[in-house]
Amino acid sequence: MLYEGRLGAELSVDKQAAVVLAMAWGLAARSPHSLIYLPLRTARPADSANQERLLDLVLLHHRLAFPVSRWKQVRARLGPGRPHGVRLPSQAFRQRPDVDQRRWTHQGFCDHLRWDIAADTLFLVGSREAFELEADPVRALAEDCPGHLAESPDAHCCAEINLGRMRMGYPDRRRPWAELHIEYCRHHR
């Protein structure tokens, strides 16, 4: 489930949802012609007072230049859809040196994930580089968190995905969130 909480965007995933998210993330990174839509508004947080804004998630390459303002009309025409498979290589994400991970903080770096909200949907938009720079925490949710929680059942297992450009340690004022917090839980409540 994905919702807009008081601290920003919060996504809660179980084992199956973590795998789906990691595969969708890999597809978004590798397919500049795909719009990946994950309908997530059907669940509500466990400790909810029904005040959170529930959201769907769309991952897309910036090259599509999709106007998010048109999303409501596009989603209305989607219909029930049909399942189909996508084959990703065994190494869906390129291994990156630590220097690549650190360079996103440099002033001239432009490959950041951008975000927007339209029609109760969170859009994450970026280049292959932007998705790959944030891929390791998403991959770790699917691959590492189940084992970590088996060893330490009360542990907090999450990924914090940087959204937008940070200026001097603070997010862009026009986009107040600095990250998407994805929490791994054993079972959705």
PDB file of all heavy atoms in Angstrom, residues 126-163:
ATOM      1  N   GLY A 126      12.195   9.312 -14.382  1.00  0.00           N
ATOM      2  CA  GLY A 126      13.636   9.503 -14.458  1.00  0.00           C
ATOM      3  C   GLY A 126      14.251   8.751 -15.619  1.00  0.00           C
ATOM      4  O   GLY A 126      13.575   8.046 -16.360  1.00  0.00           O
ATOM      5  N   SER A 127      15.544   8.896 -15.733  1.00  0.00           N
ATOM      6  CA  SER A 127      16.320   8.197 -16.754  1.00  0.00           C
ATOM      7  C   SER A 127      16.694   6.809 -16.240  1.00  0.00           C
ATOM      8  O   SER A 127      16.463   6.481 -15.074  1.00  0.00           O
ATOM      9  CB  SER A 127      17.585   8.992 -17.056  1.00  0.00           C
ATOM     10  OG  SER A 127      18.396   9.026 -15.888  1.00  0.00           O
ATOM     11  N   ARG A 128      17.314   6.019 -17.101  1.00  0.00           N
ATOM     12  CA  ARG A 128      17.819   4.720 -16.662  1.00  0.00           C
ATOM     13  C   ARG A 128      18.794   4.921 -15.512  1.00  0.00           C
ATOM     14  O   ARG A 128      18.762   4.208 -14.516  1.00  0.00           O
ATOM     15  CB  ARG A 128      18.501   3.993 -17.823  1.00  0.00           C
ATOM     16  CG  ARG A 128      19.085   2.663 -17.404  1.00  0.00           C
ATOM     17  CD  ARG A 128      19.687   1.909 -18.548  1.00  0.00           C
ATOM     18  NE  ARG A 128      20.158   0.615 -18.077  1.00  0.00           N
ATOM     19  CZ  ARG A 128      20.552  -0.349 -18.861  1.00  0.00           C
ATOM     20  NH1 ARG A 128      20.532  -0.182 -20.164  1.00  0.00           N
ATOM     21  NH2 ARG A 128      20.968  -1.492 -18.353  1.00  0.00           N
ATOM     22  N   GLU A 129      19.651   5.917 -15.654  1.00  0.00           N
ATOM     23  CA  GLU A 129      20.634   6.224 -14.629  1.00  0.00           C
ATOM     24  C   GLU A 129      19.956   6.539 -13.292  1.00  0.00           C
ATOM     25  O   GLU A 129      20.361   6.055 -12.240  1.00  0.00           O
ATOM     26  CB  GLU A 129      21.474   7.422 -15.087  1.00  0.00           C
ATOM     27  CG  GLU A 129      22.532   7.832 -14.133  1.00  0.00           C
ATOM     28  CD  GLU A 129      23.830   7.075 -14.339  1.00  0.00           C
ATOM     29  OE1 GLU A 129      23.883   6.190 -15.187  1.00  0.00           O
ATOM     30  OE2 GLU A 129      24.777   7.386 -13.603  1.00  0.00           O
ATOM     31  N   ALA A 130      18.904   7.348 -13.321  1.00  0.00           N
ATOM     32  CA  ALA A 130      18.198   7.742 -12.091  1.00  0.00           C
ATOM     33  C   ALA A 130      17.579   6.527 -11.401  1.00  0.00           C
ATOM     34  O   ALA A 130      17.689   6.385 -10.182  1.00  0.00           O
ATOM     35  CB  ALA A 130      17.123   8.776 -12.406  1.00  0.00           C
ATOM     36  N   PHE A 131      16.930   5.650 -12.168  1.00  0.00           N
ATOM     37  CA  PHE A 131      16.341   4.449 -11.571  1.00  0.00           C
ATOM     38  C   PHE A 131      17.424   3.501 -11.048  1.00  0.00           C
ATOM     39  O   PHE A 131      17.283   2.912  -9.985  1.00  0.00           O
ATOM     40  CB  PHE A 131      15.433   3.723 -12.572  1.00  0.00           C
ATOM     41  CG  PHE A 131      14.063   4.321 -12.678  1.00  0.00           C
ATOM     42  CD1 PHE A 131      13.717   5.117 -13.759  1.00  0.00           C
ATOM     43  CD2 PHE A 131      13.112   4.112 -11.693  1.00  0.00           C
ATOM     44  CE1 PHE A 131      12.448   5.683 -13.858  1.00  0.00           C
ATOM     45  CE2 PHE A 131      11.840   4.670 -11.774  1.00  0.00           C
ATOM     46  CZ  PHE A 131      11.518   5.463 -12.868  1.00  0.00           C
ATOM     47  N   GLU A 132      18.515   3.360 -11.786  1.00  0.00           N
ATOM     48  CA  GLU A 132      19.570   2.450 -11.353  1.00  0.00           C
ATOM     49  C   GLU A 132      20.298   2.952 -10.113  1.00  0.00           C
ATOM     50  O   GLU A 132      20.733   2.150  -9.286  1.00  0.00           O
ATOM     51  CB  GLU A 132      20.557   2.197 -12.490  1.00  0.00           C
ATOM     52  CG  GLU A 132      19.994   1.255 -13.532  1.00  0.00           C
ATOM     53  CD  GLU A 132      20.986   0.890 -14.612  1.00  0.00           C
ATOM     54  OE1 GLU A 132      22.056   1.529 -14.714  1.00  0.00           O
ATOM     55  OE2 GLU A 132      20.686  -0.055 -15.360  1.00  0.00           O
ATOM     56  N   LEU A 133      20.447   4.259  -9.970  1.00  0.00           N
ATOM     57  CA  LEU A 133      21.114   4.785  -8.784  1.00  0.00           C
ATOM     58  C   LEU A 133      20.327   4.509  -7.508  1.00  0.00           C
ATOM     59  O   LEU A 133      20.894   4.446  -6.424  1.00  0.00           O
ATOM     60  CB  LEU A 133      21.379   6.291  -8.931  1.00  0.00           C
ATOM     61  CG  LEU A 133      22.533   6.647  -9.856  1.00  0.00           C
ATOM     62  CD1 LEU A 133      22.571   8.148 -10.106  1.00  0.00           C
ATOM     63  CD2 LEU A 133      23.852   6.153  -9.293  1.00  0.00           C
ATOM     64  N   GLU A 134      19.016   4.328  -7.630  1.00  0.00           N
ATOM     65  CA  GLU A 134      18.170   4.029  -6.471  1.00  0.00           C
ATOM     66  C   GLU A 134      17.748   2.564  -6.435  1.00  0.00           C
ATOM     67  O   GLU A 134      16.930   2.169  -5.608  1.00  0.00           O
ATOM     68  CB  GLU A 134      16.926   4.924  -6.486  1.00  0.00           C
ATOM     69  CG  GLU A 134      17.224   6.399  -6.375  1.00  0.00           C
ATOM     70  CD  GLU A 134      17.848   6.797  -5.045  1.00  0.00           C
ATOM     71  OE1 GLU A 134      17.718   6.042  -4.051  1.00  0.00           O
ATOM     72  OE2 GLU A 134      18.481   7.858  -4.992  1.00  0.00           O
ATOM     73  N   ALA A 135      18.291   1.750  -7.317  1.00  0.00           N
ATOM     74  CA  ALA A 135      17.858   0.351  -7.434  1.00  0.00           C
ATOM     75  C   ALA A 135      18.337  -0.543  -6.303  1.00  0.00           C
ATOM     76  O   ALA A 135      17.633  -1.480  -5.924  1.00  0.00           O
ATOM     77  CB  ALA A 135      18.322  -0.222  -8.774  1.00  0.00           C
ATOM     78  N   ASP A 136      19.519  -0.301  -5.770  1.00  0.00           N
ATOM     79  CA  ASP A 136      20.065  -1.213  -4.769  1.00  0.00           C
ATOM     80  C   ASP A 136      19.174  -1.352  -3.537  1.00  0.00           C
ATOM     81  O   ASP A 136      18.922  -2.459  -3.082  1.00  0.00           O
ATOM     82  CB  ASP A 136      21.487  -0.815  -4.382  1.00  0.00           C
ATOM     83  CG  ASP A 136      22.206  -1.956  -3.694  1.00  0.00           C
ATOM     84  OD1 ASP A 136      22.114  -3.101  -4.190  1.00  0.00           O
ATOM     85  OD2 ASP A 136      22.832  -1.713  -2.645  1.00  0.00           O
ATOM     86  N   PRO A 137      18.655  -0.253  -2.965  1.00  0.00           N
ATOM     87  CA  PRO A 137      17.745  -0.431  -1.820  1.00  0.00           C
ATOM     88  C   PRO A 137      16.458  -1.184  -2.186  1.00  0.00           C
ATOM     89  O   PRO A 137      15.943  -1.955  -1.381  1.00  0.00           O
ATOM     90  CB  PRO A 137      17.424   0.998  -1.378  1.00  0.00           C
ATOM     91  CG  PRO A 137      18.431   1.875  -2.016  1.00  0.00           C
ATOM     92  CD  PRO A 137      18.949   1.149  -3.210  1.00  0.00           C
ATOM     93  N   VAL A 138      15.956  -0.979  -3.401  1.00  0.00           N
ATOM     94  CA  VAL A 138      14.741  -1.680  -3.845  1.00  0.00           C
ATOM     95  C   VAL A 138      15.040  -3.169  -3.992  1.00  0.00           C
ATOM     96  O   VAL A 138      14.268  -4.017  -3.554  1.00  0.00           O
ATOM     97  CB  VAL A 138      14.214  -1.083  -5.170  1.00  0.00           C
ATOM     98  CG1 VAL A 138      13.038  -1.875  -5.694  1.00  0.00           C
ATOM     99  CG2 VAL A 138      13.829   0.375  -4.974  1.00  0.00           C
ATOM    100  N   ARG A 139      16.172  -3.497  -4.599  1.00  0.00           N
ATOM    101  CA  ARG A 139      16.588  -4.891  -4.744  1.00  0.00           C
ATOM    102  C   ARG A 139      16.785  -5.543  -3.382  1.00  0.00           C
ATOM    103  O   ARG A 139      16.379  -6.670  -3.143  1.00  0.00           O
ATOM    104  CB  ARG A 139      17.887  -4.966  -5.549  1.00  0.00           C
ATOM    105  CG  ARG A 139      18.382  -6.395  -5.747  1.00  0.00           C
ATOM    106  CD  ARG A 139      19.891  -6.458  -5.891  1.00  0.00           C
ATOM    107  NE  ARG A 139      20.649  -5.738  -4.904  1.00  0.00           N
ATOM    108  CZ  ARG A 139      20.885  -6.167  -3.642  1.00  0.00           C
ATOM    109  NH1 ARG A 139      20.385  -7.312  -3.228  1.00  0.00           N
ATOM    110  NH2 ARG A 139      21.612  -5.448  -2.807  1.00  0.00           N
ATOM    111  N   ALA A 140      17.396  -4.812  -2.443  1.00  0.00           N
ATOM    112  CA  ALA A 140      17.654  -5.355  -1.111  1.00  0.00           C
ATOM    113  C   ALA A 140      16.355  -5.689  -0.372  1.00  0.00           C
ATOM    114  O   ALA A 140      16.324  -6.641   0.409  1.00  0.00           O
ATOM    115  CB  ALA A 140      18.493  -4.371  -0.298  1.00  0.00           C
ATOM    116  N   LEU A 141      15.299  -4.928  -0.611  1.00  0.00           N
ATOM    117  CA  LEU A 141      14.011  -5.252   0.016  1.00  0.00           C
ATOM    118  C   LEU A 141      13.562  -6.657  -0.362  1.00  0.00           C
ATOM    119  O   LEU A 141      13.095  -7.419   0.484  1.00  0.00           O
ATOM    120  CB  LEU A 141      12.932  -4.258  -0.413  1.00  0.00           C
ATOM    121  CG  LEU A 141      12.906  -2.916   0.270  1.00  0.00           C
ATOM    122  CD1 LEU A 141      11.881  -2.015  -0.401  1.00  0.00           C
ATOM    123  CD2 LEU A 141      12.596  -3.053   1.743  1.00  0.00           C
ATOM    124  N   ALA A 142      13.688  -6.986  -1.636  1.00  0.00           N
ATOM    125  CA  ALA A 142      13.233  -8.289  -2.114  1.00  0.00           C
ATOM    126  C   ALA A 142      14.198  -9.408  -1.761  1.00  0.00           C
ATOM    127  O   ALA A 142      13.777 -10.512  -1.416  1.00  0.00           O
ATOM    128  CB  ALA A 142      13.029  -8.239  -3.628  1.00  0.00           C
ATOM    129  N   GLU A 143      15.505  -9.140  -1.818  1.00  0.00           N
ATOM    130  CA  GLU A 143      16.481 -10.202  -1.640  1.00  0.00           C
ATOM    131  C   GLU A 143      16.984 -10.365  -0.206  1.00  0.00           C
ATOM    132  O   GLU A 143      17.222 -11.472   0.237  1.00  0.00           O
ATOM    133  CB  GLU A 143      17.680  -9.963  -2.562  1.00  0.00           C
ATOM    134  CG  GLU A 143      17.330 -10.103  -4.030  1.00  0.00           C
ATOM    135  CD  GLU A 143      18.514  -9.839  -4.932  1.00  0.00           C
ATOM    136  OE1 GLU A 143      19.639  -9.597  -4.430  1.00  0.00           O
ATOM    137  OE2 GLU A 143      18.318  -9.868  -6.153  1.00  0.00           O
ATOM    138  N   ASP A 144      17.180  -9.273   0.506  1.00  0.00           N
ATOM    139  CA  ASP A 144      17.840  -9.329   1.808  1.00  0.00           C
ATOM    140  C   ASP A 144      16.893  -9.249   3.012  1.00  0.00           C
ATOM    141  O   ASP A 144      17.174  -9.841   4.050  1.00  0.00           O
ATOM    142  CB  ASP A 144      18.875  -8.207   1.936  1.00  0.00           C
ATOM    143  CG  ASP A 144      19.925  -8.266   0.838  1.00  0.00           C
ATOM    144  OD1 ASP A 144      20.107  -9.350   0.252  1.00  0.00           O
ATOM    145  OD2 ASP A 144      20.556  -7.232   0.568  1.00  0.00           O
ATOM    146  N   CYS A 145      15.803  -8.518   2.895  1.00  0.00           N
ATOM    147  CA  CYS A 145      14.922  -8.310   4.049  1.00  0.00           C
ATOM    148  C   CYS A 145      14.287  -9.584   4.592  1.00  0.00           C
ATOM    149  O   CYS A 145      14.200  -9.735   5.811  1.00  0.00           O
ATOM    150  CB  CYS A 145      13.861  -7.269   3.739  1.00  0.00           C
ATOM    151  SG  CYS A 145      14.531  -5.584   3.743  1.00  0.00           S
ATOM    152  N   PRO A 146      13.838 -10.533   3.761  1.00  0.00           N
ATOM    153  CA  PRO A 146      13.258 -11.747   4.349  1.00  0.00           C
ATOM    154  C   PRO A 146      14.235 -12.472   5.270  1.00  0.00           C
ATOM    155  O   PRO A 146      13.868 -12.895   6.368  1.00  0.00           O
ATOM    156  CB  PRO A 146      12.892 -12.600   3.127  1.00  0.00           C
ATOM    157  CG  PRO A 146      12.679 -11.618   2.034  1.00  0.00           C
ATOM    158  CD  PRO A 146      13.679 -10.525   2.291  1.00  0.00           C
ATOM    159  N   GLY A 147      15.497 -12.605   4.853  1.00  0.00           N
ATOM    160  CA  GLY A 147      16.495 -13.263   5.693  1.00  0.00           C
ATOM    161  C   GLY A 147      16.822 -12.459   6.940  1.00  0.00           C
ATOM    162  O   GLY A 147      16.990 -13.003   8.031  1.00  0.00           O
ATOM    163  N   HIS A 148      16.877 -11.142   6.775  1.00  0.00           N
ATOM    164  CA  HIS A 148      17.178 -10.272   7.918  1.00  0.00           C
ATOM    165  C   HIS A 148      16.077 -10.372   8.977  1.00  0.00           C
ATOM    166  O   HIS A 148      16.354 -10.457  10.173  1.00  0.00           O
ATOM    167  CB  HIS A 148      17.346  -8.833   7.435  1.00  0.00           C
ATOM    168  CG  HIS A 148      17.707  -7.869   8.500  1.00  0.00           C
ATOM    169  ND1 HIS A 148      18.909  -7.905   9.171  1.00  0.00           N
ATOM    170  CD2 HIS A 148      17.004  -6.840   9.033  1.00  0.00           C
ATOM    171  CE1 HIS A 148      18.939  -6.938  10.065  1.00  0.00           C
ATOM    172  NE2 HIS A 148      17.801  -6.275  10.000  1.00  0.00           N
ATOM    173  N   LEU A 149      14.826 -10.380   8.529  1.00  0.00           N
ATOM    174  CA  LEU A 149      13.710 -10.474   9.472  1.00  0.00           C
ATOM    175  C   LEU A 149      13.592 -11.883  10.072  1.00  0.00           C
ATOM    176  O   LEU A 149      13.077 -12.029  11.173  1.00  0.00           O
ATOM    177  CB  LEU A 149      12.400 -10.069   8.812  1.00  0.00           C
ATOM    178  CG  LEU A 149      12.258  -8.567   8.567  1.00  0.00           C
ATOM    179  CD1 LEU A 149      10.984  -8.272   7.791  1.00  0.00           C
ATOM    180  CD2 LEU A 149      12.278  -7.794   9.868  1.00  0.00           C
ATOM    181  N   ALA A 150      14.079 -12.903   9.371  1.00  0.00           N
ATOM    182  CA  ALA A 150      14.084 -14.251   9.940  1.00  0.00           C
ATOM    183  C   ALA A 150      15.052 -14.318  11.119  1.00  0.00           C
ATOM    184  O   ALA A 150      14.786 -14.992  12.114  1.00  0.00           O
ATOM    185  CB  ALA A 150      14.471 -15.272   8.878  1.00  0.00           C
ATOM    186  N   GLU A 151      16.161 -13.600  11.016  1.00  0.00           N
ATOM    187  CA  GLU A 151      17.140 -13.566  12.107  1.00  0.00           C
ATOM    188  C   GLU A 151      16.721 -12.634  13.234  1.00  0.00           C
ATOM    189  O   GLU A 151      16.951 -12.919  14.398  1.00  0.00           O
ATOM    190  CB  GLU A 151      18.497 -13.117  11.571  1.00  0.00           C
ATOM    191  CG  GLU A 151      19.151 -14.111  10.652  1.00  0.00           C
ATOM    192  CD  GLU A 151      20.428 -13.556  10.033  1.00  0.00           C
ATOM    193  OE1 GLU A 151      20.860 -12.444  10.403  1.00  0.00           O
ATOM    194  OE2 GLU A 151      20.993 -14.248   9.172  1.00  0.00           O
ATOM    195  N   SER A 152      16.121 -11.501  12.884  1.00  0.00           N
ATOM    196  CA  SER A 152      15.712 -10.484  13.863  1.00  0.00           C
ATOM    197  C   SER A 152      14.278 -10.064  13.573  1.00  0.00           C
ATOM    198  O   SER A 152      14.039  -9.080  12.877  1.00  0.00           O
ATOM    199  CB  SER A 152      16.621  -9.260  13.777  1.00  0.00           C
ATOM    200  OG  SER A 152      17.962  -9.612  13.927  1.00  0.00           O
ATOM    201  N   PRO A 153      13.290 -10.809  14.073  1.00  0.00           N
ATOM    202  CA  PRO A 153      11.890 -10.560  13.718  1.00  0.00           C
ATOM    203  C   PRO A 153      11.375  -9.154  14.038  1.00  0.00           C
ATOM    204  O   PRO A 153      10.455  -8.683  13.388  1.00  0.00           O
ATOM    205  CB  PRO A 153      11.119 -11.604  14.533  1.00  0.00           C
ATOM    206  CG  PRO A 153      12.116 -12.646  14.866  1.00  0.00           C
ATOM    207  CD  PRO A 153      13.440 -11.962  14.945  1.00  0.00           C
ATOM    208  N   ASP A 154      11.967  -8.484  15.012  1.00  0.00           N
ATOM    209  CA  ASP A 154      11.480  -7.147  15.364  1.00  0.00           C
ATOM    210  C   ASP A 154      12.235  -6.025  14.660  1.00  0.00           C
ATOM    211  O   ASP A 154      12.008  -4.852  14.937  1.00  0.00           O
ATOM    212  CB  ASP A 154      11.574  -6.944  16.880  1.00  0.00           C
ATOM    213  CG  ASP A 154      10.637  -7.873  17.631  1.00  0.00           C
ATOM    214  OD1 ASP A 154       9.608  -8.266  17.055  1.00  0.00           O
ATOM    215  OD2 ASP A 154      10.951  -8.215  18.794  1.00  0.00           O
ATOM    216  N   ALA A 155      13.117  -6.361  13.745  1.00  0.00           N
ATOM    217  CA  ALA A 155      13.930  -5.357  13.059  1.00  0.00           C
ATOM    218  C   ALA A 155      13.076  -4.524  12.103  1.00  0.00           C
ATOM    219  O   ALA A 155      12.045  -4.980  11.612  1.00  0.00           O
ATOM    220  CB  ALA A 155      15.057  -6.029  12.297  1.00  0.00           C
ATOM    221  N   HIS A 156      13.533  -3.332  11.851  1.00  0.00           N
ATOM    222  CA  HIS A 156      12.902  -2.445  10.860  1.00  0.00           C
ATOM    223  C   HIS A 156      13.704  -2.579   9.573  1.00  0.00           C
ATOM    224  O   HIS A 156      14.896  -2.335   9.542  1.00  0.00           O
ATOM    225  CB  HIS A 156      12.922  -0.997  11.353  1.00  0.00           C
ATOM    226  CG  HIS A 156      12.350  -0.031  10.364  1.00  0.00           C
ATOM    227  ND1 HIS A 156      11.000   0.113  10.178  1.00  0.00           N
ATOM    228  CD2 HIS A 156      12.938   0.830   9.514  1.00  0.00           C
ATOM    229  CE1 HIS A 156      10.781   1.044   9.254  1.00  0.00           C
ATOM    230  NE2 HIS A 156      11.953   1.485   8.835  1.00  0.00           N
ATOM    231  N   CYS A 157      13.046  -2.989   8.513  1.00  0.00           N
ATOM    232  CA  CYS A 157      13.704  -3.190   7.225  1.00  0.00           C
ATOM    233  C   CYS A 157      13.033  -2.256   6.222  1.00  0.00           C
ATOM    234  O   CYS A 157      11.823  -2.353   6.012  1.00  0.00           O
ATOM    235  CB  CYS A 157      13.533  -4.651   6.808  1.00  0.00           C
ATOM    236  SG  CYS A 157      14.838  -5.252   5.766  1.00  0.00           S
ATOM    237  N   CYS A 158      13.823  -1.337   5.659  1.00  0.00           N
ATOM    238  CA  CYS A 158      13.214  -0.370   4.748  1.00  0.00           C
ATOM    239  C   CYS A 158      14.206   0.090   3.692  1.00  0.00           C
ATOM    240  O   CYS A 158      15.398  -0.192   3.769  1.00  0.00           O
ATOM    241  CB  CYS A 158      12.687   0.829   5.526  1.00  0.00           C
ATOM    242  SG  CYS A 158      13.973   1.912   6.185  1.00  0.00           S
ATOM    243  N   ALA A 159      13.686   0.808   2.731  1.00  0.00           N
ATOM    244  CA  ALA A 159      14.494   1.478   1.709  1.00  0.00           C
ATOM    245  C   ALA A 159      14.054   2.930   1.678  1.00  0.00           C
ATOM    246  O   ALA A 159      12.866   3.231   1.798  1.00  0.00           O
ATOM    247  CB  ALA A 159      14.271   0.835   0.351  1.00  0.00           C
ATOM    248  N   GLU A 160      15.006   3.812   1.544  1.00  0.00           N
ATOM    249  CA  GLU A 160      14.706   5.241   1.431  1.00  0.00           C
ATOM    250  C   GLU A 160      15.198   5.710   0.072  1.00  0.00           C
ATOM    251  O   GLU A 160      16.395   5.759  -0.177  1.00  0.00           O
ATOM    252  CB  GLU A 160      15.351   6.001   2.582  1.00  0.00           C
ATOM    253  CG  GLU A 160      14.723   5.598   3.901  1.00  0.00           C
ATOM    254  CD  GLU A 160      15.427   6.187   5.105  1.00  0.00           C
ATOM    255  OE1 GLU A 160      16.558   6.679   4.971  1.00  0.00           O
ATOM    256  OE2 GLU A 160      14.825   6.124   6.189  1.00  0.00           O
ATOM    257  N   ILE A 161      14.254   6.012  -0.803  1.00  0.00           N
ATOM    258  CA  ILE A 161      14.547   6.375  -2.181  1.00  0.00           C
ATOM    259  C   ILE A 161      14.572   7.895  -2.293  1.00  0.00           C
ATOM    260  O   ILE A 161      13.589   8.569  -1.982  1.00  0.00           O
ATOM    261  CB  ILE A 161      13.461   5.798  -3.132  1.00  0.00           C
ATOM    262  CG1 ILE A 161      13.311   4.291  -2.931  1.00  0.00           C
ATOM    263  CG2 ILE A 161      13.767   6.158  -4.576  1.00  0.00           C
ATOM    264  CD1 ILE A 161      14.548   3.484  -3.147  1.00  0.00           C
ATOM    265  N   ASN A 162      15.701   8.424  -2.741  1.00  0.00           N
ATOM    266  CA  ASN A 162      15.835   9.872  -2.900  1.00  0.00           C
ATOM    267  C   ASN A 162      15.022  10.358  -4.083  1.00  0.00           C
ATOM    268  O   ASN A 162      15.097   9.797  -5.170  1.00  0.00           O
ATOM    269  CB  ASN A 162      17.309  10.238  -3.116  1.00  0.00           C
ATOM    270  CG  ASN A 162      18.129   9.961  -1.890  1.00  0.00           C
ATOM    271  OD1 ASN A 162      17.796  10.431  -0.805  1.00  0.00           O
ATOM    272  ND2 ASN A 162      19.186   9.203  -2.047  1.00  0.00           N
ATOM    273  N   LEU A 163      14.253  11.395  -3.847  1.00  0.00           N
ATOM    274  CA  LEU A 163      13.422  11.987  -4.890  1.00  0.00           C
ATOM    275  C   LEU A 163      13.827  13.442  -5.078  1.00  0.00           C
ATOM    276  O   LEU A 163      13.822  14.223  -4.132  1.00  0.00           O
ATOM    277  CB  LEU A 163      11.939  11.924  -4.516  1.00  0.00           C
ATOM    278  CG  LEU A 163      11.363  10.538  -4.270  1.00  0.00           C
ATOM    279  CD1 LEU A 163       9.925  10.641  -3.818  1.00  0.00           C
ATOM    280  CD2 LEU A 163      11.485   9.677  -5.512  1.00  0.00           C
TER     281      LEU A 163
END
